[in-house]
């Protein structure tokens, strides 16, 4: 599903509340509706929007349908937000540990990225 559809699904406060509830573990639609104080029909609409974006998965066990949070989509959104942060510079595509590895070997350092810095300044 497109990232825009995911943002649209997340724009509704009630759907975000559903995701927070599902973070605690799987739940049935009845349990979710009861905790939110909404009708099953209203919940069905919101769950269908979340399922459409793969934010929620459903599966059946005997006579019950359970809903679970799908964190992989949220990981993709977080990655996208992470790409927006910081300034673009010439070192952006470099491996930050590559330069430290060679300098640590020459200096007899501890191998830590922060070996040359005062621990109190971290």
């Amino acid at each position: 599903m497109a990232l825009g559809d995911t943002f649209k699904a997340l724009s509704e406060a009630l759907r975000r509340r559903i995701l927070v509830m599902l973070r605690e573990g799987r739940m049935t639609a009845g349990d979710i509706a009861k905790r939110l104080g909404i009708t099953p029909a209203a919940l069905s609409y919101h769950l269908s929007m979340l399922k459409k974006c793969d934010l929620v998965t459903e599966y059946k066990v005997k006579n019950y349908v359970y809903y679970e949070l799908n964190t992989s989509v949220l990981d993709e959104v977080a990655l996208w937000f992470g790409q927006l942060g910081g300034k673009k510079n010439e070192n952006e595509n470099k491996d930050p540990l590559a330069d430290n590895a060679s300098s640590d070997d020459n200096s007899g350092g501890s191998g830590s990225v922060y070996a040359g810095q005062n621990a109190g300044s971290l």
Side-chain angles (χ1 to χ4, degrees):
M1 191 56 43
L3 194 57
D5 292 330
T6 302
F7 285 129
K8 183 177 179 180
L10 292 172
S11 69
E12 170 62 44
L14 188 62
R15 290 193 281 266
R16 292 191 308 268
R17 286 179 59 199
I18 293 169
L19 296 176
V20 169
M21 288 172 38
L22 292 176
R23 189 176 67 188
E24 299 169 9
R26 70 181 188 176
M27 296 179 74
T28 64
D31 291 338
I32 297 168
K34 184 185 245 183
R35 280 185 59 184
L36 293 174
I38 61 174
T39 65
L43 178 65
S44 177
Y45 170 75
H46 291 292
L47 285 173
S48 69
M49 295 292 288
L50 293 170
K51 289 187 301 184
K52 180 181 172 186
C53 297
D54 293 326
L55 289 165
V56 170
T57 58
E58 72 175 11
Y59 63 94
K60 296 178 182 178
V61 177
K62 295 185 182 180
N63 295 333
Y64 295 97
V65 177
Y66 288 96
Y67 296 89
E68 281 187 323
L69 179 65
N70 179 8
T71 58
S72 63
V73 174
L74 296 173
D75 291 339
E76 290 176 30
V77 171
L79 178 65
W80 183 82
F81 273 118
Q83 291 173 348
L84 292 177
K87 284 181 135 182
K88 196 169 191 171
N89 62 43
E90 64 192 45
N91 295 325
E92 184 174 88
N93 295 324
K94 286 187 177 180
D95 180 2
L97 300 178
D99 292 335
N100 290 332
S102 62
S103 65
D104 285 347
D105 290 341
N106 295 336
S107 65
S110 66
S112 169
V113 174
Y114 302 106
Q117 297 177 349
N118 181 348
S121 67
L122 297 176

